[in-house]
Amino acid sequence: MKQLAKPSIGGFISKYTGYVTFVVMVIVLGILTRGGSLRLLSWQNLAIAESVRAFGALGVGMIIITRGIDLSLGQVIGLSACVSASLAQTPDYVSALYPGLDLPAIVPVIAGIGVGVLFGLFNGFLVAYGKLPPFIATLGSMTIAAGLQLIYTHASTVGSLQNEYKKIAQGFLGPVPNMVIYVAIAVLFLWVLLNHTKQGKRIYAIGGNPTAARVSGIAVKFETMKVYLMAGTLYGFAGVLLSSRLGLANALTGDMMELDAIAAATVGGVSHSGGVGKIGGIIIGVLTLGLINFGMTYLGVDSYYQLLVKGAIIISAVYLDMRRAA
Amino acid sequence: MSLDNTNILEMHNISKAFPGVQALKDVSFQLKPGTVHALMGENGAGKSTLMKCLFGIYKKDDGEINLNGEIANFKSSRDALESGVSMIHQELNVVPDQSVMENIWLGREHTLRIGPFHLVNHKRMASETGKLMEQLEMEIEPRGRMGSISISHQQACEIAKAVSYNASVVVMDEPTSSLSEKEVNHLFKIIRRLRSQNVAVIYISHKMSEIFQIADEISVMRDGEMVATAPAKELDEDKLINLMVGRDMSQRFPTVEAIPGKVEMQVKNLTSADENSFKDVSFDLRRGEILGIGGLVGAQRTELVESIFGLRPVVEGSVTIEGNDIGIQTVKDAIASGMGLITEDRRGAGIFPLLNITENTSMPSLDRLTNKAGLIDHKTLLKQSREMNEKFKTKTPTMETPIKSLSGGNQQKVIVARWMMTLPEILIMDEPTRGIDVGAKYEIYCIMADLAKAGKSIIMVSSEMPELIGMSHRIMVLCAGRKTGILKGEERTQENIMRLAAMFGHDDFKEEDAS
């Protein structure tokens, strides 16, 4: 019964396509920029820029593993950013949403996460118990979040945030940006969750075959709800980090981020047929798309053309994935 | 019947092998126009494989097919259809939300040309459909929604569709499996009508009584070989059973040595929440006993066992295990009270296709294998999954292989391993050997016999009468959702099972199928 599969270079590459592609891209870019892109500062910038997207991609990645999708994440991140920013404005700022308000930084953080939690519960309820197709349910909640964002900010920018609040995302621990530490914590947590707990195994089971999951005693609705809730929590935190990093938030904050996050999860090998996807893959997907943006900007490629390249990469990643699965 | 004796269809020396199984060995088959030719054999005898080779769904390894004297190598059912060879599947292929006529003319709608546009000509489609219905003496409204007519009418529409292609050969696979007696008679009327129009019908069925009513000729297959072809009048039921089984029953099943002990589970007056399903079913199950559940399609056997397992709601009755009313509400409860369920539909409700053997085996046992910190004890999990699969002799390259790349029989062993890992006292097996080859079947039977010997109780739902008789201590028979009897000892015969299984006409719940 035990008969080890022969390790081969081809097998290794096909198993770790994402990682291999990423390493190749780093090397090529390093050569093209004569080492410029390999400097610490470049990596710090890349990491900071991609951190918020990483939270989104981790959340939606788990949802895609359960055969779902989440279109609301960009707007939820945006709404969370606006709400948290509004509670972190300097008290003497005349155009503040709540002039004179002076709260410890923990309050806007909790409020921002709270926004994500509420939307996660809402989406999860609609999908798991309301049986709405995830695409439609989250299309609705995306629209609601976008509306709330406009109403809450009166369509103007929430700026002049307190330094203490801005430090949350802008600070460094040695050479490592705080943002990277938050992502690392989330990655570690989710990696343990998906690989070493029954909840994690159940997420794969639900995505792999929901009927068989039910027969195996898994409370499919409840577990699905939990996945949306977890994703919402991640979005909430991402919104806080975004407003803290930018030092402001407005109705456009987070716009279209859902598409980047879904693209990153997809490039990272999360299958839309469900049941397949790894945390490491999602992060590689985020970094790959980030590196493309960053590299092309560094090389002076017109940003309009960058979109074409990005689109082509998404399509080819999925194409290769489908071929491999078939 | 036609006097023309040249064959319309001839299959010569067809062979087909799948990895590990020789599904067809040198099979030849001749079909005369204007006859109904029954193709019989047990499940796994090769009837469907032969038909799939005819329709090009499988590529035959060897042999030749002639239609009207010319070599025919169909690439798909569509290809066959266009040459006048049509198949009515057991599971009907209808689009329920479209009208009857749209279903019949699907993909070749009558059109009306207006300038550069081809528009669908609904009027012509309706009138053509009406003509077809007239020709077959059927009363079905062409514009009615397909999903709102009964299964038997849907089937009739499929036949009408075949006729619309000027079919000269129509294959029907178990056409009566979900029909009531009245509907069967209507179907036979249609079949006779086809025969009078010189159409040749290949009729695949298990049901003896029907065969002798409708067939002109009978061919019998067994283990991938054609064992006999003869005019129906030269055969009788006994001869036919002998041809189909062909060997001593005792060789097909291991001896079940277990002697049932004290009562393990009692089911009392269990009634489904679905009024068209089972009512007032009571039985008990002993330790070390294999209780077979038999009945026709629609007898609600699967519904009964799935309700006991908490997958479907019940409104009345109780389930007690070792004297305690366990009041099963959810599957989790059922697992916790020591039950396991191997579902009928292995692919749809059993396996997690992309997950590996370890993950597939351990899924329901995760609660037990999670430590206080909430983490899975991977070492124990791997060890137990491996041991279970070794015990049941699962053939797999590694424990990391995705289950979808194993054969049906090996997948089934993984599912058995999955439930045995939950340490159950009661194992419910719904059609445990469906879709697996003869050798693997025997292994599954041996596993069942061993489990019973070890004191486990087994409920086995099966549509194969030899399996019920060969493996069960007692056989409970359901008909139309009601228990019609329990057979034990010498009473366990095919005749008795059939008598109890067909005790009531099951017109009562045809409504359910139609809705």
Side-chain angles (χ1 to χ4, degrees):
Chain A
M1 175 170 143
K2 277 159 278 178
Q3 176 197 341
L4 288 174
K6 267 183 259 162
S8 69
I9 295 179
F12 178 83
I13 291 177
S14 108
K15 194 169 172 191
Y16 298 102
T17 319
Y19 295 87
V20 174
T21 318
F22 181 69
V23 171
V24 170
M25 278 174 45
V26 169
I27 295 169
V28 170
L29 194 65
I31 294 167
L32 287 177
T33 60
R34 299 177 188 201
S37 66
L38 297 177
R39 282 178 306 155
L40 179 64
L41 185 64
S42 312
W43 284 100
Q44 287 172 337
N45 287 339
L46 176 68
I48 292 171
E50 297 309 321
S51 293
V52 173
R53 247 191 290 279
F55 278 98
L58 288 170
V60 77
M62 281 192 297
I63 290 175
I64 297 172
I65 293 175
T66 66
R67 298 190 180 181
I69 191 74
D70 190 349
L71 299 181
S72 72
L73 82 89
Q75 302 303 332
V76 172
I77 289 176
L79 183 62
S80 156
C82 292
V83 169
S84 55
S86 71
L87 301 175
Q89 288 176 298
T90 45
D92 50 355
Y93 181 50
V94 283
S95 318
L97 265 181
Y98 308 107
L101 193 69
D102 186 8
L103 297 166
I106 187 73
V107 177
V109 172
I110 290 173
I113 295 175
V115 168
V117 167
L118 287 178
F119 269 88
L121 284 172
F122 183 59
N123 285 336
F125 181 77
L126 293 180
V127 171
Y129 295 93
K131 303 229 156 111
L132 263 69
F135 189 94
I136 302 302
T138 59
L139 179 66
S141 55
M142 164 182 140
T143 314
I144 291 172
L148 289 176
Q149 217 177 331
L150 282 162
I151 295 167
Y152 189 75
T153 60
H154 310 300
S156 64
T157 295
V158 187
S160 183
L161 305 190
Q162 298 186 20
N163 283 331
E164 196 199 344
Y165 180 74
K166 287 196 280 195
K167 258 190 248 161
I168 294 172
Q170 295 177 2
F172 277 79
L173 191 73
V176 186
N178 283 356
M179 295 284 268
V180 174
I181 295 169
Y182 303 132
V183 175
I185 292 170
V187 165
L188 187 68
F189 175 80
L190 294 175
W191 183 81
V192 171
L193 182 91
L194 286 190
N195 295 293
H196 291 276
T197 72
K198 53 187 181 187
Q199 277 84 5
K201 298 284 173 192
R202 285 172 182 167
I203 291 173
Y204 287 109
I206 291 169
N209 186 344
T211 318
R214 204 169 147 242
V215 176
S216 297
I218 297 172
V220 174
K221 290 178 186 168
F222 183 62
E223 297 290 337
T224 307
M225 174 96 180
K226 280 204 292 201
V227 172
Y228 280 86
L229 174 59
M230 268 192 296
T233 312
L234 290 170
Y235 307 153
F237 193 56
V240 171
L241 293 182
L242 191 57
S243 63
S244 162
R245 175 165 77 82
L246 298 173
L248 57 84
N250 59 35
L252 288 175
T253 307
D255 218 23
M256 303 294 274
M257 202 177 271
E258 63 279 357
L259 299 185
D260 283 341
I262 293 167
T266 309
V267 169
V270 181
S271 163
H272 287 256
S273 326
V276 177
K278 299 264 175 230
I279 294 296
I282 297 174
I283 293 301
I284 284 293
V286 172
L287 287 175
T288 303
L289 289 185
L291 193 68
I292 291 164
N293 268 339
F294 170 75
M296 285 191 295
T297 312
Y298 203 104
L299 294 171
V301 179
D302 188 327
S303 67
Y304 299 166
Y305 289 94
Q306 291 186 16
L307 288 176
L308 303 189
V309 176
K310 236 163 101 178
I313 297 235
I314 295 166
I315 292 170
S316 33
V318 178
Y319 178 77
L320 288 176
D321 198 50
M322 304 290 283
R323 299 304 293 244
R324 213 170 25 194
Chain B
M1 201 183 299
S2 161
L3 295 172
D4 181 3
N5 267 331
T6 50
N7 296 323
I8 171 125
L9 177 74
E10 295 187 345
M11 300 177 83
H12 297 291
N13 310 97
I14 309 289
S15 291
K16 172 76 193 170
F18 293 110
V21 203
Q22 184 73 35
L24 294 176
K25 280 170 258 178
D26 225 6
V27 174
S28 295
F29 178 78
Q30 284 85 30
L31 182 68
K32 298 187 188 79
T35 60
V36 177
H37 195 139
L39 184 56
M40 300 198 70
E42 290 186 274
N43 288 349
K47 295 165 299 188
S48 327
T49 313
L50 184 66
M51 289 303 118
K52 284 179 178 163
C53 285
L54 169 63
F55 285 89
I57 298 165
Y58 292 153
K59 203 163 167 266
K60 57 186 186 294
D61 297 337
D62 212 352
E64 195 182 284
I65 299 173
N66 291 313
L67 181 68
N68 281 324
E70 281 169 36
I71 292 186
N73 275 318
F74 302 127
K75 286 175 195 64
S76 63
S77 314
R78 176 92 206 196
D79 196 15
L81 199 55
E82 272 155 16
S83 306
V85 180
S86 166
M87 176 133 181
I88 316 291
H89 291 272
Q90 191 174 1
E91 307 286 330
L92 300 172
N93 293 316
V94 298
V95 187
D97 285 319
Q98 297 221 313
S99 68
V100 167
M101 62 182 193
E102 279 164 331
N103 267 281
I104 289 178
W105 301 105
L106 196 66
R108 54 195 173 115
E109 290 81 1
H110 290 289
T111 53
L112 197 63
R113 199 170 160 186
I114 299 176
F117 302 108
H118 292 269
L119 302 178
V120 173
N121 188 341
H122 288 106
K123 212 168 151 190
R124 169 123 186 262
M125 265 162 63
S127 71
E128 293 285 332
T129 308
K131 271 187 230 160
L132 276 175
M133 295 300 169
E134 220 168 280
Q135 191 185 343
L136 293 168
E137 294 174 5
M138 301 193 291
E139 282 165 23
I140 298 171
E141 175 50 45
R143 289 178 190 271
R145 200 176 73 92
M146 198 63 159
S148 63
I149 63 179
S150 72
I151 295 283
S152 69
H153 280 157
Q154 291 182 6
Q155 189 182 45
C157 289
E158 294 252 312
I159 297 173
K161 184 175 178 175
V163 171
S164 75
Y165 274 98
N166 292 318
S168 53
V169 176
V170 177
V171 181
M172 297 187 187
D173 187 7
E174 298 277 357
T176 59
S177 59
S178 39
L179 301 187
S180 68
E181 207 171 323
K182 215 166 83 193
E183 292 169 327
V184 170
N185 288 332
H186 186 238
L187 174 72
F188 283 0
K189 228 168 84 187
I190 298 174
I191 292 177
R192 290 194 184 104
R193 182 104 199 152
L194 289 175
R195 178 167 65 185
S196 70
Q197 291 165 8
N198 219 26
V199 174
V201 176
I202 300 177
Y203 188 94
I204 302 176
S205 176
H206 286 111
K207 298 183 189 164
M208 303 281 169
S209 55
E210 285 175 8
I211 296 295
F212 287 105
Q213 276 184 56
I214 193 79
D216 303 307
E217 275 194 284
I218 300 177
S219 287
V220 181
M221 292 185 74
R222 187 203 319 148
D223 297 338
E225 289 179 85
M226 188 62 82
V227 291
T229 296
K233 16 181 204 294
E234 291 176 14
L235 293 168
D236 57 33
E237 288 199 16
D238 284 341
K239 281 183 192 161
L240 209 46
I241 291 174
N242 271 333
L243 285 169
M244 279 165 63
V245 179
R247 56 199 145 154
D248 201 357
M249 291 259 271
S250 60
Q251 287 167 13
R252 298 177 58 212
F253 302 99
T255 321
V256 181
E257 291 169 4
I259 297 160
K262 68 183 182 79
V263 172
E264 174 74 22
M265 176 167 86
Q266 276 185 303
V267 173
K268 274 201 194 125
N269 311 105
L270 207 63
T271 300
S272 168
D274 174 355
E275 17 177 293
N276 294 312
S277 191
F278 60 88
K279 271 189 191 70
D280 202 19
V281 176
S282 304
F283 65 93
D284 53 3
L285 176 69
R286 293 170 178 277
R287 277 213 184 150
E289 180 181 40
I290 301 178
L291 174 71
I293 302 186
L296 300 173
V297 171
Q300 309 294 310
R301 296 164 298 170
T302 295
E303 289 75 2
L304 172 66
V305 293
E306 289 188 354
S307 301
I308 294 173
F309 196 63
L311 277 165
R312 293 166 188 262
V314 292
V315 284
E316 234 186 280
S318 66
V319 178
T320 42
I321 292 181
E322 290 175 0
N324 305 316
D325 187 334
I326 50 168
I328 289 169
Q329 299 291 327
T330 67
V331 177
K332 215 175 156 181
D333 298 343
I335 296 174
S337 20
M339 279 192 236
L341 170 72
I342 296 172
T343 53
E344 176 184 22
D345 179 7
R346 182 169 53 246
R347 210 176 310 184
I351 62 168
F352 300 103
L354 297 170
L355 299 189
N356 67 34
I357 311 301
T358 305
E359 291 165 326
N360 265 288
T361 309
S362 59
M363 202 56 81
S365 305
L366 290 177
D367 278 329
R368 183 165 64 76
L369 294 165
T370 298
N371 64 22
K372 284 204 186 84
L375 300 181
I376 293 172
D377 177 359
H378 273 291
K379 220 171 125 192
T380 315
L381 182 148
L382 286 170
K383 184 166 159 271
Q384 293 190 355
S385 308
R386 181 181 293 280
E387 281 170 1
M388 278 299 165
N389 281 291
E390 275 166 1
K391 186 172 168 194
F392 299 123
K393 301 192 182 71
T394 308
K395 284 190 207 80
T396 173
T398 70
M399 290 296 286
E400 283 71 49
T401 308
I403 195 169
K404 68 166 185 177
S405 48
L406 302 191
S407 70
N410 280 306
Q411 290 181 357
Q412 191 72 325
K413 289 185 206 166
V414 176
I415 306 285
V416 176
R418 170 193 291 175
W419 289 110
M420 292 321 293
M421 204 166 136
T422 65
L423 313 172
E425 290 305 319
I426 301 163
L427 191 60
I428 305 172
M429 305 173 95
D430 195 354
E431 303 284 359
T433 63
R434 174 170 288 179
I436 63 186
D437 64 68
V438 182
K441 270 187 187 180
Y442 191 80
E443 289 182 74
I444 298 284
Y445 296 142
C446 290
I447 290 171
M448 291 170 68
D450 287 346
L451 291 176
K453 204 175 161 192
K456 308 290 180 198
S457 310
I458 295 177
I459 297 177
M460 173 183 65
V461 174
S462 176
S463 299
E464 290 183 55
M465 288 196 276
E467 182 171 281
L468 283 170
I469 296 165
M471 289 306 297
S472 323
H473 291 101
R474 292 183 299 153
I475 301 167
M476 174 167 84
V477 184
L478 298 185
C479 176
R482 260 146 294 186
K483 173 176 141 185
T484 47
I486 286 200
L487 302 166
K488 50 189 172 229
E490 297 301 312
E491 302 161 7
R492 299 169 306 151
T493 63
Q494 302 218 4
E495 291 71 25
N496 281 340
I497 297 174
M498 274 317 295
R499 185 176 49 79
L500 292 174
M503 195 172 256
F504 324 120
H506 45 169
D507 279 325
D508 293 352
F509 54 162
K510 276 297 118 217
E511 305 306 320
E512 171 206 19
D513 288 339
S515 63

